[in-house]
């Protein structure tokens, strides 16, 4: 599979979101605030893409990975 610039950006943003959702310093931030701060502008698309990548919704990931 060829990694295009847009896929690289998306993958980087997903990794940033995953890190922030599991990081206790971001624990009080709303998920939507995290999503918008990393450059996604569509929460439904973000949630769908996150779940495809990591197997859990962002909310479930945060709940199961407290730091």
């Amino acid at each position: 599979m060829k990694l295009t610039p847009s896929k690289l950006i998306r993958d980087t943003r997903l990794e940033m979101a995953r890190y922030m959702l599991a990081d206790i310093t971001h624990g009080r931030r709303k998920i939507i605030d995290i999503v918008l701060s990393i450059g996604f502008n569509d929460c439904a698309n973000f949630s769908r893409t996150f779940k495809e990548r990591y197997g859990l919704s962002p909310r479930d990931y945060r709940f199961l990975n407290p730091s």
Side-chain angles (χ1 to χ4, degrees), residues 13-59:
R13 288 177 176 166
L14 285 171
E15 277 298 307
M16 289 172 58
R18 185 183 67 81
Y19 169 79
M20 292 171 83
L21 289 170
D23 185 1
I24 195 166
T25 61
H26 297 283
R28 292 185 181 252
R29 290 182 74 186
K30 293 179 181 179
I31 292 174
I32 185 142
D33 293 336
I34 291 172
V35 170
L36 295 174
S37 75
I38 60 171
F40 280 93
N41 58 8
D42 180 350
C43 290
N45 180 50
F46 167 77
S47 292
R48 183 175 47 257
T49 305
F50 189 94
K51 189 170 184 175
E52 287 172 4
R53 171 64 57 88
Y54 301 110
L56 295 167
S57 70
R59 182 175 29 145

